[in-house]
Amino acid sequence: GCDTAEEEEEEEEKRKLVTVIPEHDSAALDPNSAAVKSLVIVVDGSVLEGGGQVCRTASVLAALWGKRLRLHSIRGKRTKPGLRPQHLKGLEWVKNFCGGDMKGLEVG
């Protein structure tokens, strides 16, 4: 359990970090089924410290798991929110490494 309201809030932020959205009942999913293969990982880039590490970690995990990834609110809590050039380069590297595709990513 959490001892303080601050710890409770931090735990809630961690739970919101990555949400996997299945198209069907997860209890009935076979790892090799089309439903599991179509899962999308949705990441709110403004949770916790809201920095570029969220983008880097999420993209690598999605590539390793072979899952689609949707990032939103990238660096949302920063004074200059949005994707910075170094984050875009990192995402492009992951895309090229795993033979993936990216849409809608740009600096800013």
Side-chain angles (χ1 to χ4, degrees):
C2 300
D3 295 332
T4 67
E6 186 177 293
E7 288 175 334
E8 210 168 285
E9 185 176 311
E10 186 174 308
E11 286 299 313
E12 178 61 26
E13 286 290 308
K14 286 179 185 177
R15 283 191 290 278
K16 291 191 308 189
L17 182 60
V18 177
T19 305
V20 177
I21 305 171
E23 292 182 1
H24 301 87
D25 178 15
S26 62
L29 295 177
D30 177 314
N32 297 312
S33 72
V36 170
K37 290 179 180 177
S38 69
L39 292 177
V40 177
I41 300 171
V42 179
V43 177
D44 179 348
S46 70
V47 297
L48 300 174
E49 90 287 353
Q53 184 62 43
V54 172
C55 297
R56 291 187 295 275
T57 302
S59 65
V60 169
L61 289 174
L64 288 172
W65 295 334
K67 302 298 178 205
R68 293 181 297 144
L69 172 68
R70 181 178 177 272
L71 292 169
H72 68 90
S73 305
I74 298 169
R75 299 179 69 248
K77 291 181 180 175
R78 298 299 173 109
T79 54
K80 282 183 144 184
L83 207 57
R84 305 307 314 145
Q86 66 270 26
H87 304 120
L88 182 57
K89 287 290 183 193
L91 292 169
E92 287 173 344
W93 186 91
V94 173
K95 175 196 76 132
N96 293 335
F97 182 79
C98 71
D101 185 31
M102 288 190 325
K103 293 180 183 149
L105 289 177
E106 59 187 40
V107 174

